[in-house]
Amino acid sequence: MGARPELHPPEYFDLVAIDRVVDAIREVSALQPRVGLILGSGLAAVVEHGMEVESSIPYEDLPYWPMTSILGHPGKLFLGHWAGQPVMLMQGRAHYYEGYTMAQVTLPVRVMQRMGVEILIVTNAAGGLNPAFEPGDLMLIRDHINLVGMVGLSPLRGPNLETFGPRFPSMRHAYDPELRALARQVAEELEDIPLHEGVYVGLAGPQFETPAELRFLRSIGGDAVGMSTVGEVTVARHGGTRVLGISGISNKAVWDEELEPTHEEVLEAGRVMVPRMARLIEGVLRRL
Ligand code: HPA
Protein backbone atom coordinates (compact mmCIF):
# COMPACT_ATOMS: atom_id res chain seq x y z
CA MET A 1 0.00 0.00 0.00
CA GLY A 2 1.10 3.53 -0.68
CA ALA A 3 4.17 5.02 -2.22
CA ARG A 4 7.35 3.13 -2.72
CA PRO A 5 10.32 5.09 -1.37
CA GLU A 6 13.05 5.85 -3.87
CA LEU A 7 16.18 3.73 -3.73
CA HIS A 8 18.45 6.75 -3.39
CA PRO A 9 16.32 9.52 -1.94
CA PRO A 10 17.78 13.04 -1.97
CA GLU A 11 19.75 14.07 1.14
CA TYR A 12 18.96 17.73 0.53
CA PHE A 13 17.08 20.08 -1.76
CA ASP A 14 18.21 23.36 -3.25
CA LEU A 15 16.12 26.46 -3.79
CA VAL A 16 15.39 25.55 -7.42
CA ALA A 17 13.77 22.26 -6.39
CA ILE A 18 11.83 23.89 -3.56
CA ASP A 19 10.51 26.61 -5.87
CA ARG A 20 9.46 24.00 -8.41
CA VAL A 21 7.03 22.70 -5.81
CA VAL A 22 5.86 26.24 -5.06
CA ASP A 23 5.20 26.76 -8.78
CA ALA A 24 3.15 23.56 -8.97
CA ILE A 25 0.97 24.75 -6.08
CA ARG A 26 0.61 28.23 -7.59
CA GLU A 27 -0.72 26.65 -10.76
CA VAL A 28 -3.68 25.40 -8.72
CA SER A 29 -4.11 28.20 -6.18
CA ALA A 30 -3.31 31.89 -5.93
CA LEU A 31 -3.89 31.87 -2.17
CA GLN A 32 -1.27 33.61 -0.07
CA PRO A 33 -1.16 31.50 3.10
CA ARG A 34 -0.15 33.05 6.40
CA VAL A 35 -0.49 29.90 8.48
CA GLY A 36 0.76 26.39 7.71
CA LEU A 37 -0.93 23.45 9.40
CA ILE A 38 0.30 19.87 9.61
CA LEU A 39 -2.19 17.23 10.74
CA GLY A 40 -0.63 14.11 12.19
CA SER A 41 -1.72 10.49 12.70
CA GLY A 42 -5.44 10.06 13.24
CA LEU A 43 -6.04 13.79 12.96
CA ALA A 44 -6.89 13.96 9.26
CA ALA A 45 -10.55 14.76 10.00
CA VAL A 46 -9.62 18.05 11.70
CA VAL A 47 -9.85 19.65 8.26
CA GLU A 48 -13.61 18.92 8.20
CA HIS A 49 -14.19 20.98 11.35
CA GLY A 50 -14.38 24.46 9.97
CA MET A 51 -11.78 25.01 7.28
CA GLU A 52 -13.21 26.53 4.10
CA VAL A 53 -11.29 24.58 1.51
CA GLU A 54 -10.71 26.41 -1.76
CA SER A 55 -8.27 23.99 -3.41
CA SER A 56 -6.94 20.54 -2.64
CA ILE A 57 -3.93 18.87 -4.19
CA PRO A 58 -3.08 15.18 -3.79
CA TYR A 59 0.55 14.82 -2.73
CA GLU A 60 1.28 12.69 -5.79
CA ASP A 61 0.59 15.70 -8.01
CA LEU A 62 3.46 17.67 -6.47
CA PRO A 63 7.09 17.18 -7.53
CA TYR A 64 9.45 15.84 -4.82
CA TRP A 65 6.67 15.95 -2.22
CA PRO A 66 6.92 12.86 0.04
CA MET A 67 3.84 10.68 -0.02
CA THR A 68 2.42 9.05 3.06
CA SER A 69 1.97 5.32 3.15
CA ILE A 70 0.35 4.47 6.45
CA LEU A 71 -3.23 4.18 7.65
CA GLY A 72 -4.79 7.45 8.71
CA HIS A 73 -2.69 9.56 6.35
CA PRO A 74 -4.59 10.22 3.16
CA GLY A 75 -1.99 12.65 1.88
CA LYS A 76 -3.51 15.86 0.55
CA LEU A 77 -2.64 19.51 0.61
CA PHE A 78 -5.52 21.93 1.24
CA LEU A 79 -5.55 25.67 0.63
CA GLY A 80 -8.27 27.93 1.90
CA HIS A 81 -9.44 29.97 4.87
CA TRP A 82 -10.04 29.02 8.45
CA ALA A 83 -11.36 31.48 11.03
CA GLY A 84 -10.49 34.24 8.60
CA GLN A 85 -6.87 33.20 8.13
CA PRO A 86 -5.45 32.10 4.79
CA VAL A 87 -4.06 28.64 5.51
CA MET A 88 -2.19 25.85 3.80
CA LEU A 89 -2.97 22.54 5.47
CA MET A 90 -1.26 19.19 5.13
CA GLN A 91 -3.53 16.25 5.76
CA GLY A 92 -0.93 13.65 6.61
CA ARG A 93 2.85 13.83 6.65
CA ALA A 94 5.75 11.61 5.68
CA HIS A 95 7.90 10.05 8.37
CA TYR A 96 11.56 9.13 8.48
CA TYR A 97 10.66 5.50 9.17
CA GLU A 98 8.87 5.26 5.84
CA GLY A 99 12.25 5.45 4.11
CA TYR A 100 12.44 9.15 3.40
CA THR A 101 15.43 11.32 4.27
CA MET A 102 14.98 14.12 6.79
CA ALA A 103 15.24 16.55 3.85
CA GLN A 104 12.25 14.90 2.20
CA VAL A 105 10.27 14.75 5.44
CA THR A 106 10.76 18.49 5.94
CA LEU A 107 10.49 19.67 2.31
CA PRO A 108 6.86 20.77 2.84
CA VAL A 109 8.00 23.25 5.52
CA ARG A 110 10.49 24.80 3.10
CA VAL A 111 7.71 25.09 0.54
CA MET A 112 5.47 26.75 3.13
CA GLN A 113 8.22 29.26 3.89
CA ARG A 114 8.62 30.13 0.21
CA MET A 115 4.85 30.50 -0.03
CA GLY A 116 5.01 33.16 2.68
CA VAL A 117 3.81 31.19 5.70
CA GLU A 118 4.71 33.01 8.95
CA ILE A 119 3.24 30.62 11.49
CA LEU A 120 3.38 26.82 11.52
CA ILE A 121 0.87 24.88 13.60
CA VAL A 122 2.16 21.35 13.86
CA THR A 123 0.20 18.47 15.37
CA ASN A 124 0.94 14.84 16.09
CA ALA A 125 -0.23 11.78 17.95
CA ALA A 126 2.12 10.98 20.80
CA GLY A 127 2.54 8.55 23.66
CA GLY A 128 2.15 10.07 27.11
CA LEU A 129 5.32 9.59 29.19
CA ASN A 130 3.93 11.83 31.90
CA PRO A 131 1.79 9.56 34.12
CA ALA A 132 -0.78 12.34 34.52
CA PHE A 133 -1.64 12.26 30.81
CA GLU A 134 -4.66 10.28 29.59
CA PRO A 135 -5.42 9.15 26.03
CA GLY A 136 -7.41 11.87 24.30
CA ASP A 137 -5.73 14.72 26.23
CA LEU A 138 -3.87 17.42 24.35
CA MET A 139 -0.37 18.66 25.17
CA LEU A 140 1.01 21.99 24.15
CA ILE A 141 4.64 21.40 23.19
CA ARG A 142 6.80 23.71 25.32
CA ASP A 143 10.06 22.31 24.04
CA HIS A 144 11.42 19.20 22.37
CA ILE A 145 14.30 16.78 22.59
CA ASN A 146 15.30 15.93 19.03
CA LEU A 147 16.99 12.63 19.79
CA VAL A 148 17.40 11.68 16.14
CA GLY A 149 18.70 15.13 15.27
CA MET A 150 21.14 15.21 18.17
CA VAL A 151 22.88 12.09 16.91
CA GLY A 152 23.09 13.20 13.28
CA LEU A 153 19.74 13.04 11.52
CA SER A 154 19.23 16.76 11.20
CA PRO A 155 17.19 18.05 8.26
CA LEU A 156 19.72 20.91 8.14
CA ARG A 157 22.62 18.59 7.32
CA GLY A 158 24.20 19.55 4.01
CA PRO A 159 24.84 22.91 2.38
CA ASN A 160 23.19 25.68 4.37
CA LEU A 161 20.36 27.42 2.54
CA GLU A 162 21.31 31.02 3.37
CA THR A 163 18.03 32.28 1.90
CA PHE A 164 16.26 30.77 4.88
CA GLY A 165 18.65 31.16 7.79
CA PRO A 166 22.09 30.77 9.35
CA ARG A 167 24.30 27.69 9.48
CA PHE A 168 23.91 27.37 13.25
CA PRO A 169 20.36 28.39 14.06
CA SER A 170 19.10 28.92 17.60
CA MET A 171 16.49 26.53 18.97
CA ARG A 172 15.95 28.55 22.15
CA HIS A 173 12.36 29.52 21.46
CA ALA A 174 11.48 26.67 19.14
CA TYR A 175 7.87 26.79 20.34
CA ASP A 176 6.74 30.39 20.35
CA PRO A 177 5.92 31.60 23.90
CA GLU A 178 3.24 34.04 22.67
CA LEU A 179 1.48 31.40 20.60
CA ARG A 180 1.57 29.03 23.57
CA ALA A 181 0.02 31.67 25.81
CA LEU A 182 -2.67 32.22 23.19
CA ALA A 183 -3.43 28.49 23.02
CA ARG A 184 -3.67 28.24 26.82
CA GLN A 185 -6.09 31.15 26.82
CA VAL A 186 -8.24 29.50 24.15
CA ALA A 187 -8.30 26.18 26.01
CA GLU A 188 -9.36 27.94 29.20
CA GLU A 189 -12.19 29.72 27.45
CA LEU A 190 -13.48 26.62 25.69
CA GLU A 191 -14.70 23.79 27.87
CA ASP A 192 -13.64 20.17 27.72
CA ILE A 193 -10.16 20.69 26.31
CA PRO A 194 -7.72 19.09 28.77
CA LEU A 195 -4.53 20.87 27.79
CA HIS A 196 -1.21 19.95 29.35
CA GLU A 197 2.10 21.51 28.51
CA GLY A 198 5.37 19.63 28.22
CA VAL A 199 8.40 18.34 26.39
CA TYR A 200 8.04 16.22 23.25
CA VAL A 201 10.73 13.66 22.53
CA GLY A 202 11.21 12.93 18.83
CA LEU A 203 12.34 9.44 17.85
CA ALA A 204 12.78 7.83 14.44
CA GLY A 205 10.53 4.79 15.01
CA PRO A 206 8.75 2.80 13.69
CA GLN A 207 9.16 0.44 16.63
CA PHE A 208 7.59 1.48 19.91
CA GLU A 209 9.87 1.87 22.92
CA THR A 210 11.13 -0.81 25.28
CA PRO A 211 10.35 -0.31 29.00
CA ALA A 212 13.99 0.68 29.56
CA GLU A 213 13.76 3.25 26.78
CA LEU A 214 10.56 4.70 28.24
CA ARG A 215 12.19 5.02 31.66
CA PHE A 216 15.14 6.77 29.99
CA LEU A 217 12.93 9.17 28.02
CA ARG A 218 11.00 10.11 31.14
CA SER A 219 14.19 10.59 33.15
CA ILE A 220 15.64 13.03 30.60
CA GLY A 221 12.55 15.22 30.89
CA GLY A 222 10.14 13.92 28.28
CA ASP A 223 6.39 14.24 28.73
CA ALA A 224 5.33 12.82 25.38
CA VAL A 225 7.05 10.72 22.74
CA GLY A 226 6.47 10.42 19.02
CA MET A 227 7.99 9.82 15.62
CA SER A 228 7.58 13.16 13.88
CA THR A 229 7.51 16.94 14.33
CA VAL A 230 11.03 17.71 15.55
CA GLY A 231 12.54 17.81 12.05
CA GLU A 232 9.77 20.03 10.73
CA VAL A 233 10.13 22.40 13.68
CA THR A 234 13.90 22.54 13.24
CA VAL A 235 13.46 23.61 9.62
CA ALA A 236 10.69 26.04 10.54
CA ARG A 237 12.90 27.75 13.12
CA HIS A 238 15.89 27.82 10.77
CA GLY A 239 13.73 29.86 8.42
CA GLY A 240 12.34 32.11 11.18
CA THR A 241 8.83 30.65 11.09
CA ARG A 242 6.99 30.85 14.42
CA VAL A 243 5.75 27.50 15.68
CA LEU A 244 2.83 26.25 17.73
CA GLY A 245 3.05 22.52 18.47
CA ILE A 246 0.19 20.41 19.82
CA SER A 247 0.39 16.70 20.65
CA GLY A 248 -2.68 14.56 20.99
CA ILE A 249 -2.01 11.87 23.57
CA SER A 250 -3.04 8.66 21.85
CA ASN A 251 -1.79 6.19 24.45
CA LYS A 252 0.05 5.97 27.71
CA ALA A 253 3.76 5.37 27.19
CA VAL A 254 4.62 4.23 30.70
CA TRP A 255 6.76 1.20 31.43
CA ASP A 256 4.48 -0.54 33.92
CA GLU A 257 1.50 -0.61 31.58
CA GLU A 258 0.35 -4.08 30.64
CA LEU A 259 -0.96 -3.06 27.26
CA GLU A 260 1.35 -2.06 24.47
CA PRO A 261 0.26 0.68 22.13
CA THR A 262 -1.01 -0.36 18.72
CA HIS A 263 -1.51 1.74 15.63
CA GLU A 264 -5.27 1.09 15.95
CA GLU A 265 -5.25 2.53 19.48
CA VAL A 266 -3.50 5.63 18.15
CA LEU A 267 -6.24 6.05 15.54
CA GLU A 268 -9.07 5.47 18.05
CA ALA A 269 -7.75 8.12 20.45
CA GLY A 270 -7.45 10.32 17.39
CA ARG A 271 -11.22 10.23 17.02
CA VAL A 272 -11.57 11.69 20.54
CA MET A 273 -8.84 14.26 19.92
CA VAL A 274 -10.09 15.47 16.54
CA PRO A 275 -12.90 17.78 17.76
CA ARG A 276 -10.73 19.09 20.62
CA MET A 277 -7.79 19.76 18.36
CA ALA A 278 -10.03 21.44 15.78
CA ARG A 279 -11.64 23.77 18.34
CA LEU A 280 -8.29 24.69 19.83
CA ILE A 281 -6.76 25.42 16.43
CA GLU A 282 -9.79 27.41 15.33
CA GLY A 283 -9.68 29.48 18.54
CA VAL A 284 -6.01 30.24 18.00
CA LEU A 285 -6.52 31.16 14.33
CA ARG A 286 -9.34 33.49 15.28
CA ARG A 287 -7.02 35.41 17.64
CA LEU A 288 -3.98 35.68 15.39
N1 HPA B 1 5.62 6.00 21.11
C1 HPA B 1 6.12 6.59 20.01
N2 HPA B 1 5.39 7.21 19.11
C2 HPA B 1 4.08 7.28 19.32
C3 HPA B 1 3.47 6.67 20.43
C4 HPA B 1 4.31 5.99 21.38
O1 HPA B 1 3.84 5.45 22.38
N3 HPA B 1 2.14 6.90 20.33
C5 HPA B 1 1.95 7.62 19.19
N4 HPA B 1 3.12 7.84 18.58
Side-chain angles (χ1 to χ4, degrees), residues 100-242:
Y100 296 110
T101 60
M102 287 308 289
Q104 288 178 299
V105 167
T106 58
L107 173 71
V109 178
R110 286 301 190 211
V111 172
M112 286 179 181
Q113 288 170 330
R114 292 294 278 177
M115 300 269 302
V117 162
E118 297 163 12
I119 293 169
L120 174 67
I121 301 179
V122 58
T123 69
N124 59 54
L129 293 165
N130 187 321
F133 294 2
E134 294 297 330
D137 290 355
L138 301 186
M139 184 193 87
L140 213 48
I141 306 178
R142 184 178 58 237
D143 202 349
H144 74 214
I145 298 174
N146 183 356
L147 272 186
V148 296
M150 287 168 76
V151 298
L153 284 174
S154 172
L156 303 179
R157 196 178 82 87
N160 184 51
L161 296 175
E162 293 290 331
T163 316
F164 293 98
R167 172 76 290 187
F168 302 105
S170 166
M171 290 291 141
R172 265 296 163 87
H173 299 291
Y175 299 85
D176 195 89
E178 276 177 41
L179 293 176
R180 276 190 282 131
L182 199 61
R184 279 195 300 270
Q185 199 184 318
V186 170
E188 252 169 54
E189 283 170 26
L190 299 173
E191 276 158 34
D192 187 36
I193 301 193
L195 184 66
H196 306 285
E197 190 159 346
V199 174
Y200 176 92
V201 185
L203 306 179
Q207 72 284 353
F208 286 115
E209 303 72 35
T210 66
E213 286 167 344
L214 291 174
R215 234 174 271 127
F216 164 69
L217 298 176
R218 182 64 182 149
S219 75
I220 61 171
D223 292 294
V225 57
M227 304 169 187
S228 66
T229 304
V230 292
E232 295 152 1
V233 172
T234 302
V235 166
R237 293 309 299 146
H238 176 256
T241 309
R242 295 167 69 200

